[in-house]
Amino acid sequence: MKTKIRYGILVMILIALAIPAIYRLKPFLNLAPLTGVNSVANKPEWSSEAYWEGRYQDDVNKWINEQFGFRTVLVRLINQFRYSVFSTSRAPGVVVGKNRELYISSYLEEYIGKNYRGFSMLNDITLRTKRVQDSLKAIGVDLVVVFAPGKASFKAENIPTYYLNAKKDSTNYKTYCQLFKQHNINFIDLNSYFLKLKPKPPHPLFPKFGAHWNHHAMCIGLDTILKRIEQVHHIDVPDFDYSQIRLTNASKGNDYDIGILMNLKKELPKEIMPYPVYKINETNKEKPDVLVVGDSYWWCLVGENLPSRFFKRDEYWFYNKDIILNGEKKENKVRFVNLFQQVCQRKTIVLLSTEATYYLFPYNFIERLEKLFCIDNKQVWDLANTRIRPDSVWYASIIQKAKEGGISTEKQLYRDAKYTLLDELSNTGEPRAEVMANIKVDANWLKQIEEKAKQEKRSFEEQLILDADFMVKEERKLIYEGLTPKPKSDETKAPKEDIASIINRIRADEKWLNYVKEKAVKEKRSLEAQLSVEAEYTQKNP
C-alpha cells in the first residue's frame, strides 16, 4: 500500500513538472499576458564573440526564463502572495503605501526631494522661461506653465514611513514656485489648489490604485486652464458643465493604471469613483489655437476627447518628442516640425508638468524656443550685412517692399533678416543632420545626390543639404496632412515667407526649377532674374 502511495506521489510530481513543458509546446489554455511588460526577450543568435564575452549565456537565460509554461500564472501567484502577506510589490516603480495605497516611485522621489536639481539650475530655467514668455508675448502668444496635482502631495498621509524619513527641505516644486512668483512667470499651480480642496472635496480626486488624477479632478484642472485663457485673451470659449456626476466602481481610463501593473492573481477591490457627464456648449463660442506640451496627465483629457471640444486643434506634444494630433500618436516627430511657424500660429502654449516630471521640466522646450525667439540684434544684422546686402536681387526686393510698406529700407531689411534667421533656425539642426546621415549610408541615394550635384553644377555638400531640407519638409507634410484644420483667413498667421526662402524652395524642387528655367528662356531673362520674378509671384499668391 505504501509503495502505491509513493508511486502515486512520484507520478503526480512528474505530471506537475511535465505540464509546463507540454503547455510550452502546445498551449491548451488561453492565459492573459502580463501587463506593463515593455519588452519580451527574443531567442538570441549564437556568435563566438557573444559566447566568449558571456552575453550569449545571459541572453539565453533570459529567454528560457520567459519561455517556461504557466509563467504568467506563477508570476501572478508570487505577486499576490507578496502583496497580500507583506504589502509589497515586485512591479517596477510601484510602491505600496499605508492602507495599501499604491504610488509610483517617481512621485515619491520628487515629494521627498530625492531628485532635486539644485537652485542654480532651476533659477537658470526660470530666467530662460521668463525671456521666452516675454518674447512670445510681444508677438501675441501667451505662454502658461501649469503644474498639475501630484498624488504624493495630495495623499501624503499614506506615504511609507521609510520615504518620509528621507524627506529633504528643498524640492523642485518648492523652488520653482518661489522662483516663478519672483520672476512673474504665468503660472497655474493646480497642486496647491487641489491641496486647498482636500479638506472637504465634493468627490474623491485621486484613485487608490491609480497614478493620475481621476475624471472629476481632470475636469477641475481643464476648467481652471480655460478660465485663464478667457481672462488673458478676453474671449468666450465653449461653456463646460461637469456638475452632473455618476458614481460607479467600474473603473475607467487611468483609475486603475497602477493596479494593472501589479499583475496580481485577484483584482484589487474597485473604488467608487466620480465620472462627470460632460455638457459643452460650443454655439457662438471661440475656440483658441492652443498647443499643449507636457507629460502623461494631459493624456487623460485626450482619452476623453475633451481638448477638441474647446481648442481649434487637438494637438499635444508628449514630452516634446511625440506628436499627439486628434488622438493619433506620431512618435519622435516633434523634431521635424517647423517650430517657428507652429508657435507663431498659436494663441496660447500650455507647458504642463506634474510631480513625477518636475525634474524633467521643461523637456528642452524652453531651450528650443529661446534659440528662436530670443535672438539678439547682432545675429540679425550679421545676416543682413553678409548675405542680403551683397545679393543684388534680394536687396532690390527689400527696397521694393519698403516702398510698398511705407517704411525705411533699413527697417524692412531688419524685418526680413530676422524672419530669415528664425525660419532657418527652425529648418536646420537635428532633422537635417538626421536625414543627411541616412543619405550617407545609402549607396543608391548617395549616387543620386552626386548625379544631381553634377547636373545642377553644385558642390556635393550643397546638393546634400538641399535634398535633406526637402525630405524634412516632406516629413512635415506627412505629420499634418489631412489632420490639421486649415486656418481661417481672419486667424493669426505666421509672417509671410521672404523672397530668398522662396528661391531656396524653388532650387530644391527639381520640377519647379526646370519650369523656371524654361520660362527664363522664353522670356529671355537670366535664371536669377526669373527666379526672383517667380518668387515674388509665389509670395503674393501663396
Coordinates of all heavy atoms in Angstrom, one line a residue, residues 18-89:
A18 N 5.9 18.0 -15.9 CA 5.7 17.9 -17.3 C 4.7 18.9 -17.9 O 4.9 19.3 -19.1 CB 5.3 16.4 -17.7
I19 N 3.7 19.2 -17.1 CA 2.7 20.1 -17.7 C 3.2 21.4 -18.2 O 2.8 21.8 -19.4 CB 1.6 20.3 -16.6 CG1 0.7 19.1 -16.4 CG2 0.7 21.5 -17.0 CD1 -0.3 19.2 -15.3
P20 N 4.1 22.1 -17.5 CA 4.6 23.4 -18.1 C 5.3 23.2 -19.4 O 5.2 24.0 -20.4 CB 5.6 23.9 -17.0 CG 5.1 23.3 -15.8 CD 4.5 22.0 -16.1
A21 N 6.1 22.0 -19.5 CA 6.8 21.8 -20.8 C 5.8 21.4 -21.9 O 6.0 21.9 -23.0 CB 7.8 20.6 -20.6
I22 N 4.8 20.7 -21.6 CA 3.7 20.4 -22.6 C 3.0 21.6 -23.0 O 2.8 21.8 -24.2 CB 2.7 19.3 -22.0 CG1 3.4 18.0 -21.7 CG2 1.6 19.1 -23.0 CD1 2.6 17.0 -20.9
Y23 N 2.7 22.5 -22.0 CA 2.0 23.7 -22.4 C 2.8 24.6 -23.3 O 2.3 25.3 -24.2 CB 1.6 24.5 -21.1 CG 0.9 25.8 -21.3 CD1 -0.5 25.8 -21.6 CD2 1.6 27.0 -21.3 CE1 -1.2 27.0 -21.8 CE2 0.9 28.2 -21.6 CZ -0.5 28.2 -21.8 OH -1.1 29.3 -22.1
R24 N 4.1 24.6 -23.0 CA 5.0 25.5 -23.8 C 5.0 25.0 -25.3 O 5.0 25.8 -26.2 CB 6.4 25.4 -23.3 CG 7.4 26.2 -24.1 CD 8.8 26.2 -23.4 NE 9.8 26.9 -24.3 CZ 10.5 26.2 -25.2 NH1 10.4 24.9 -25.3 NH2 11.4 26.9 -25.9
L25 N 5.0 23.7 -25.5 CA 5.0 23.1 -26.8 C 3.6 23.3 -27.5 O 3.5 23.6 -28.7 CB 5.4 21.6 -26.8 CG 6.9 21.4 -26.4 CD1 7.1 19.9 -26.2 CD2 7.8 22.0 -27.4
K26 N 2.6 23.1 -26.7 CA 1.2 23.1 -27.3 C 0.3 23.7 -26.2 O -0.3 23.0 -25.4 CB 0.7 21.7 -27.7 CG -0.6 21.8 -28.5 CD -0.9 20.4 -29.1 CE -2.1 20.5 -29.9 NZ -2.5 19.2 -30.5
P27 N 0.1 25.1 -26.2 CA -0.8 25.7 -25.2 C -2.2 25.2 -25.3 O -2.8 25.2 -26.4 CB -0.7 27.2 -25.6 CG 0.6 27.3 -26.4 CD 0.8 26.0 -27.1
F28 N -2.8 24.8 -24.2 CA -4.1 24.3 -24.2 C -5.1 25.2 -23.4 O -6.2 24.9 -23.2 CB -4.2 22.8 -23.7 CG -3.4 22.6 -22.4 CD1 -4.0 22.9 -21.2 CD2 -2.1 22.1 -22.5 CE1 -3.3 22.6 -20.0 CE2 -1.4 21.9 -21.3 CZ -2.0 22.1 -20.1
L29 N -4.5 26.3 -22.8 CA -5.3 27.3 -22.1 C -5.0 28.7 -22.6 O -3.9 29.0 -23.0 CB -5.1 27.2 -20.6 CG -5.5 26.0 -19.9 CD1 -5.1 26.0 -18.4 CD2 -7.1 25.9 -19.9
N30 N -6.0 29.5 -22.6 CA -5.8 30.9 -23.0 C -5.5 31.8 -21.8 O -6.4 32.2 -21.1 CB -7.0 31.4 -23.8 CG -6.8 32.8 -24.4 OD1 -5.6 33.2 -24.6 ND2 -7.8 33.5 -24.7
L31 N -4.2 32.0 -21.5 CA -3.8 32.8 -20.3 C -3.6 34.2 -20.6 O -2.9 34.5 -21.7 CB -2.6 32.1 -19.7 CG -2.7 30.7 -19.2 CD1 -1.4 30.2 -18.7 CD2 -3.8 30.5 -18.2
A32 N -4.0 35.1 -19.8 CA -3.8 36.5 -20.0 C -2.3 36.9 -19.9 O -1.7 36.4 -18.9 CB -4.6 37.3 -19.0
P33 N -1.8 37.7 -20.8 CA -0.4 38.1 -20.7 C -0.2 39.0 -19.5 O -1.1 39.7 -19.0 CB -0.1 38.7 -22.0 CG -1.4 39.3 -22.5 CD -2.5 38.3 -21.9
L34 N 1.1 39.2 -19.1 CA 1.4 40.1 -18.0 C 1.3 41.5 -18.6 O 1.6 41.8 -19.8 CB 2.8 39.9 -17.5 CG 3.1 38.5 -16.9 CD1 4.6 38.4 -16.5 CD2 2.2 38.3 -15.6
T35 N 0.9 42.5 -17.8 CA 0.7 43.9 -18.2 C 1.9 44.7 -17.7 O 2.6 44.3 -16.8 CB -0.6 44.5 -17.7 OG1 -0.6 44.3 -16.2 CG2 -1.8 43.8 -18.3
G36 N 2.1 45.8 -18.5 CA 3.2 46.6 -18.1 C 4.6 46.1 -18.5 O 5.6 46.7 -18.0
V37 N 4.7 45.0 -19.2 CA 5.9 44.5 -19.7 C 6.3 45.1 -21.0 O 5.6 44.9 -22.0 CB 5.8 42.9 -19.9 CG1 7.2 42.4 -20.3 CG2 5.4 42.3 -18.6
N38 N 7.4 45.9 -21.0 CA 7.7 46.7 -22.2 C 8.4 45.9 -23.3 O 8.2 46.2 -24.4 CB 8.7 47.8 -21.8 CG 8.0 48.9 -20.8 OD1 6.8 49.1 -21.0 ND2 8.7 49.4 -19.9
S39 N 9.1 44.9 -22.9 CA 9.8 44.1 -23.9 C 9.9 42.6 -23.5 O 9.9 42.3 -22.3 CB 11.2 44.6 -24.1 OG 12.0 44.5 -22.9
V40 N 9.9 41.8 -24.5 CA 10.0 40.3 -24.3 C 11.3 39.9 -24.9 O 11.7 40.3 -26.0 CB 8.8 39.6 -25.0 CG1 8.9 38.1 -24.8 CG2 7.5 40.1 -24.4
A41 N 12.0 39.0 -24.2 CA 13.3 38.6 -24.7 C 13.1 37.7 -25.9 O 12.3 36.8 -25.9 CB 14.0 37.8 -23.6
N42 N 13.9 38.0 -27.0 CA 13.9 37.1 -28.2 C 15.0 36.1 -28.1 O 16.0 36.2 -27.4 CB 14.1 38.0 -29.4 CG 13.0 39.0 -29.6 OD1 11.9 38.7 -29.5 ND2 13.4 40.2 -30.0
K43 N 14.8 35.0 -28.8 CA 15.8 33.9 -28.8 C 17.1 34.5 -29.4 O 17.1 35.0 -30.5 CB 15.3 32.8 -29.7 CG 16.2 31.5 -29.6 CD 15.7 30.4 -30.3 CE 16.6 29.1 -30.2 NZ 16.0 28.0 -30.9
P44 N 18.2 34.4 -28.6 CA 19.4 35.1 -29.1 C 20.1 34.2 -30.2 O 20.0 33.0 -30.2 CB 20.3 35.1 -27.8 CG 19.8 33.9 -27.0 CD 18.3 33.8 -27.3
E45 N 20.8 34.9 -31.0 CA 21.6 34.3 -32.1 C 23.0 34.0 -31.6 O 23.6 34.9 -31.0 CB 21.6 35.2 -33.4 CG 20.2 35.3 -34.0 CD 20.3 36.1 -35.3 OE1 21.5 36.4 -35.8 OE2 19.3 36.4 -35.9
W46 N 23.5 32.8 -31.9 CA 24.8 32.5 -31.4 C 25.9 33.2 -32.2 O 25.9 33.3 -33.4 CB 25.0 31.0 -31.4 CG 26.3 30.5 -30.7 CD1 26.4 30.1 -29.4 CD2 27.6 30.4 -31.3 NE1 27.7 29.8 -29.2 CE2 28.5 30.0 -30.3 CE3 28.1 30.6 -32.6 CZ2 29.8 29.8 -30.5 CZ3 29.5 30.4 -32.8 CH2 30.3 30.0 -31.8
S47 N 26.9 33.6 -31.5 CA 28.1 34.1 -32.1 C 29.3 33.9 -31.2 O 29.1 33.9 -29.9 CB 28.0 35.6 -32.4 OG 28.1 36.4 -31.3
S48 N 30.5 33.6 -31.7 CA 31.6 33.3 -30.9 C 32.0 34.5 -30.0 O 32.4 34.3 -28.8 CB 32.8 32.9 -31.8 OG 33.1 34.0 -32.7
E49 N 31.8 35.7 -30.5 CA 32.2 36.9 -29.7 C 31.3 37.0 -28.5 O 31.7 37.2 -27.4 CB 32.0 38.1 -30.6 CG 32.4 39.4 -29.9 CD 32.2 40.6 -30.8 OE1 31.9 40.5 -32.0 OE2 32.4 41.8 -30.3
A50 N 29.9 36.9 -28.8 CA 29.0 37.0 -27.7 C 29.2 35.8 -26.7 O 29.0 36.0 -25.4 CB 27.5 36.9 -28.2
Y51 N 29.5 34.6 -27.2 CA 29.7 33.5 -26.3 C 30.9 33.7 -25.3 O 30.8 33.5 -24.1 CB 30.0 32.2 -27.1 CG 30.2 31.0 -26.3 CD1 29.2 30.3 -25.7 CD2 31.5 30.6 -26.1 CE1 29.4 29.1 -25.0 CE2 31.8 29.5 -25.3 CZ 30.7 28.7 -24.7 OH 31.0 27.6 -24.0
W52 N 32.0 34.1 -25.9 CA 33.2 34.3 -25.0 C 33.1 35.5 -24.1 O 33.8 35.6 -23.0 CB 34.5 34.4 -25.9 CG 34.8 33.1 -26.6 CD1 34.8 32.8 -27.9 CD2 35.3 31.9 -25.9 NE1 35.1 31.5 -28.1 CE2 35.4 30.9 -26.9 CE3 35.5 31.6 -24.6 CZ2 35.8 29.6 -26.6 CZ3 35.9 30.3 -24.3 CH2 36.1 29.3 -25.3
E53 N 32.3 36.5 -24.4 CA 32.0 37.6 -23.6 C 31.0 37.3 -22.5 O 30.8 38.1 -21.6 CB 31.6 38.9 -24.4 CG 32.8 39.5 -25.2 CD 32.3 40.7 -26.0 OE1 31.1 41.0 -25.9 OE2 33.1 41.2 -26.7
G54 N 30.3 36.2 -22.7 CA 29.3 35.8 -21.7 C 27.9 36.4 -22.0 O 26.9 36.1 -21.3
R55 N 27.8 37.3 -23.0 CA 26.5 37.9 -23.3 C 25.5 36.8 -23.9 O 24.3 36.9 -23.6 CB 26.6 39.0 -24.4 CG 27.3 40.2 -23.8 CD 27.3 41.4 -24.9 NE 28.3 41.1 -25.9 CZ 28.0 40.8 -27.2 NH1 26.7 40.7 -27.5 NH2 28.9 40.6 -28.1
Y56 N 26.0 35.9 -24.6 CA 25.1 34.9 -25.2 C 24.4 34.0 -24.1 O 23.2 33.8 -24.1 CB 25.9 34.0 -26.1 CG 25.1 32.8 -26.7 CD1 24.1 33.1 -27.7 CD2 25.2 31.5 -26.2 CE1 23.4 32.0 -28.2 CE2 24.4 30.5 -26.8 CZ 23.5 30.7 -27.8 OH 22.8 29.7 -28.3
Q57 N 25.2 33.6 -23.1 CA 24.7 32.8 -22.0 C 23.6 33.6 -21.2 O 22.6 33.1 -20.9 CB 25.8 32.4 -21.0 CG 26.8 31.4 -21.7 CD 28.0 32.2 -22.4 OE1 27.8 33.2 -22.9 NE2 29.2 31.6 -22.3
D58 N 23.9 34.9 -21.0 CA 22.9 35.7 -20.2 C 21.6 35.9 -21.0 O 20.5 35.8 -20.4 CB 23.5 37.1 -20.0 CG 24.6 37.1 -19.0 OD1 24.7 36.1 -18.2 OD2 25.4 38.0 -18.9
D59 N 21.7 36.1 -22.3 CA 20.5 36.3 -23.2 C 19.7 35.0 -23.2 O 18.5 35.0 -23.3 CB 20.9 36.7 -24.6 CG 21.5 38.1 -24.6 OD1 21.3 38.8 -23.6 OD2 22.1 38.5 -25.6
V60 N 20.4 33.8 -23.3 CA 19.7 32.5 -23.3 C 19.0 32.3 -22.0 O 17.8 31.9 -22.0 CB 20.7 31.4 -23.5 CG1 20.1 30.0 -23.3 CG2 21.3 31.4 -25.0
N61 N 19.6 32.6 -20.9 CA 18.9 32.5 -19.6 C 17.7 33.4 -19.5 O 16.6 32.9 -19.0 CB 19.9 32.9 -18.4 CG 20.9 31.8 -18.2 OD1 20.7 30.7 -18.5 ND2 22.1 32.2 -17.7
K62 N 17.8 34.6 -20.0 CA 16.6 35.5 -20.0 C 15.5 34.9 -20.9 O 14.3 34.9 -20.5 CB 17.0 36.9 -20.5 CG 17.8 37.7 -19.6 CD 18.2 39.0 -20.2 CE 19.2 39.7 -19.3 NZ 19.7 41.0 -19.9
W63 N 15.9 34.4 -22.0 CA 14.9 33.9 -23.0 C 14.2 32.6 -22.4 O 13.0 32.5 -22.4 CB 15.6 33.5 -24.3 CG 14.6 32.9 -25.3 CD1 13.6 33.6 -26.0 CD2 14.6 31.6 -25.7 NE1 13.0 32.7 -26.8 CE2 13.6 31.4 -26.7 CE3 15.4 30.4 -25.4 CZ2 13.3 30.3 -27.3 CZ3 15.1 29.2 -26.1 CH2 14.0 29.1 -27.0
I64 N 15.0 31.7 -21.8 CA 14.4 30.5 -21.2 C 13.5 30.8 -20.1 O 12.4 30.2 -19.9 CB 15.6 29.5 -20.8 CG1 16.3 29.0 -22.0 CG2 15.0 28.4 -19.9 CD1 17.5 28.2 -21.6
N65 N 13.9 31.8 -19.3 CA 13.1 32.3 -18.1 C 11.7 32.7 -18.5 O 10.7 32.5 -17.8 CB 13.8 33.4 -17.4 CG 13.1 33.8 -16.1 OD1 12.7 33.0 -15.3 ND2 12.8 35.1 -16.0
E66 N 11.6 33.3 -19.7 CA 10.3 33.8 -20.2 C 9.5 32.7 -21.0 O 8.4 33.0 -21.4 CB 10.5 35.0 -21.0 CG 11.0 36.2 -20.2 CD 11.1 37.5 -21.1 OE1 10.6 37.4 -22.2 OE2 11.5 38.5 -20.6
Q67 N 10.1 31.6 -21.3 CA 9.5 30.6 -22.1 C 8.8 29.4 -21.4 O 7.9 28.8 -22.0 CB 10.5 29.9 -23.1 CG 11.2 30.9 -24.0 CD 10.2 31.7 -24.9 OE1 9.3 31.1 -25.5 NE2 10.3 33.0 -24.9
F68 N 9.1 29.2 -20.1 CA 8.5 28.0 -19.5 C 7.0 28.2 -19.3 O 6.5 29.3 -19.1 CB 9.2 27.7 -18.1 CG 8.9 28.7 -17.0 CD1 7.8 28.6 -16.3 CD2 9.8 29.7 -16.7 CE1 7.5 29.5 -15.2 CE2 9.6 30.6 -15.7 CZ 8.4 30.5 -14.9
G69 N 6.3 27.1 -19.4 CA 4.8 27.1 -19.3 C 4.3 27.6 -18.0 O 4.9 27.4 -17.0
F70 N 3.1 28.3 -18.1 CA 2.4 28.8 -17.0 C 3.2 29.9 -16.2 O 3.0 30.1 -15.0 CB 2.0 27.7 -16.0 CG 1.0 26.7 -16.6 CD1 1.4 25.4 -17.0 CD2 -0.3 27.1 -16.7 CE1 0.5 24.6 -17.5 CE2 -1.2 26.2 -17.3 CZ -0.8 24.9 -17.7
R71 N 4.1 30.5 -16.9 CA 4.9 31.5 -16.3 C 4.1 32.7 -15.8 O 4.2 33.1 -14.6 CB 6.0 32.1 -17.3 CG 6.8 33.2 -16.7 CD 7.9 33.7 -17.6 NE 8.7 34.8 -17.0 CZ 8.4 36.1 -17.2 NH1 7.3 36.4 -17.9 NH2 9.2 37.0 -16.6
T72 N 3.1 33.1 -16.6 CA 2.3 34.2 -16.2 C 1.5 33.9 -14.9 O 1.3 34.8 -14.0 CB 1.3 34.7 -17.3 OG1 0.5 33.5 -17.7 CG2 2.1 35.1 -18.5
V73 N 1.0 32.7 -14.8 CA 0.2 32.2 -13.7 C 1.1 32.3 -12.4 O 0.7 32.8 -11.4 CB -0.4 30.8 -13.9 CG1 -1.1 30.3 -12.6 CG2 -1.4 30.8 -15.0
L74 N 2.3 31.7 -12.5 CA 3.2 31.7 -11.4 C 3.6 33.1 -10.9 O 3.7 33.3 -9.7 CB 4.4 30.8 -11.7 CG 4.1 29.3 -11.9 CD1 5.3 28.6 -12.5 CD2 3.6 28.7 -10.7
V75 N 3.9 34.0 -11.9 CA 4.3 35.3 -11.6 C 3.1 36.0 -10.8 O 3.4 36.7 -9.8 CB 4.6 36.1 -12.8 CG1 4.7 37.6 -12.5 CG2 5.9 35.6 -13.4
R76 N 1.9 35.8 -11.3 CA 0.8 36.5 -10.6 C 0.6 35.9 -9.2 O 0.2 36.6 -8.3 CB -0.5 36.3 -11.4 CG -0.5 37.0 -12.7 CD -1.8 36.8 -13.5 NE -1.8 37.4 -14.8 CZ -1.9 38.7 -15.2 NH1 -2.1 39.5 -14.2 NH2 -1.8 39.1 -16.4
L77 N 0.8 34.6 -9.0 CA 0.6 34.0 -7.7 C 1.7 34.5 -6.7 O 1.4 34.8 -5.6 CB 0.8 32.5 -7.8 CG -0.4 31.7 -8.4 CD1 -0.1 30.2 -8.6 CD2 -1.6 31.8 -7.4
I78 N 2.9 34.7 -7.2 CA 4.0 35.2 -6.3 C 3.7 36.6 -6.0 O 3.8 37.1 -4.8 CB 5.4 35.1 -7.0 CG1 5.8 33.6 -7.2 CG2 6.4 35.8 -6.3 CD1 7.0 33.4 -8.0
N79 N 3.3 37.4 -7.0 CA 3.0 38.8 -6.7 C 1.8 39.0 -5.7 O 1.8 39.9 -4.8 CB 2.6 39.5 -8.0 CG 3.8 39.7 -8.9 OD1 4.9 39.6 -8.5 ND2 3.5 40.1 -10.2
Q80 N 0.8 38.1 -5.9 CA -0.3 38.1 -5.0 C 0.1 37.8 -3.5 O -0.3 38.5 -2.6 CB -1.4 37.1 -5.4 CG -2.7 37.2 -4.6 CD -3.5 38.5 -4.9 OE1 -3.8 38.7 -6.1 NE2 -3.8 39.2 -3.9
F81 N 1.0 36.8 -3.4 CA 1.4 36.4 -2.1 C 2.2 37.6 -1.4 O 2.0 37.9 -0.2 CB 2.3 35.2 -2.2 CG 3.0 34.8 -0.9 CD1 2.2 34.1 0.1 CD2 4.3 35.1 -0.6 CE1 2.8 33.7 1.3 CE2 4.9 34.7 0.6 CZ 4.1 34.0 1.5
R82 N 3.1 38.2 -2.1 CA 3.9 39.3 -1.6 C 3.0 40.5 -1.2 O 3.2 41.1 -0.2 CB 4.9 39.8 -2.6 CG 6.1 38.8 -2.9 CD 6.9 39.3 -4.0 NE 7.6 40.5 -3.7 CZ 8.8 40.6 -3.2 NH1 9.5 39.5 -2.9 NH2 9.4 41.8 -2.9
Y83 N 2.0 40.8 -2.0 CA 1.1 41.9 -1.7 C 0.2 41.6 -0.5 O 0.0 42.4 0.4 CB 0.3 42.3 -2.9 CG -0.7 43.4 -2.7 CD1 -0.3 44.7 -2.6 CD2 -2.1 43.1 -2.6 CE1 -1.3 45.7 -2.3 CE2 -3.0 44.1 -2.3 CZ -2.6 45.4 -2.2 OH -3.5 46.4 -1.9
S84 N -0.4 40.4 -0.6 CA -1.4 40.1 0.5 C -0.8 39.8 1.8 O -1.4 40.2 2.9 CB -2.2 38.8 0.0 OG -2.9 39.0 -1.2
V85 N 0.4 39.3 1.9 CA 1.1 38.9 3.1 C 2.0 40.0 3.6 O 2.0 40.4 4.8 CB 1.8 37.6 3.0 CG1 2.6 37.3 4.3 CG2 0.9 36.5 2.6
F86 N 2.8 40.6 2.7 CA 3.8 41.6 3.1 C 3.5 43.0 2.7 O 4.3 43.9 3.0 CB 5.2 41.1 2.6 CG 5.6 39.8 3.1 CD1 5.6 38.7 2.2 CD2 6.0 39.6 4.4 CE1 6.1 37.5 2.6 CE2 6.4 38.3 4.8 CZ 6.4 37.3 3.9
S87 N 2.4 43.2 2.0 CA 2.1 44.6 1.4 C 3.3 45.2 0.7 O 3.6 46.4 0.9 CB 1.7 45.5 2.6 OG 0.5 45.1 3.2
T88 N 3.9 44.4 -0.2 CA 5.0 44.9 -1.1 C 4.7 44.5 -2.5 O 3.7 43.7 -2.8 CB 6.3 44.2 -0.7 OG1 6.2 42.8 -0.7 CG2 6.7 44.6 0.8
S89 N 5.4 45.1 -3.4 CA 5.2 44.8 -4.8 C 6.5 44.6 -5.5 O 7.5 45.2 -5.2 CB 4.5 46.0 -5.5 OG 4.5 46.0 -6.9

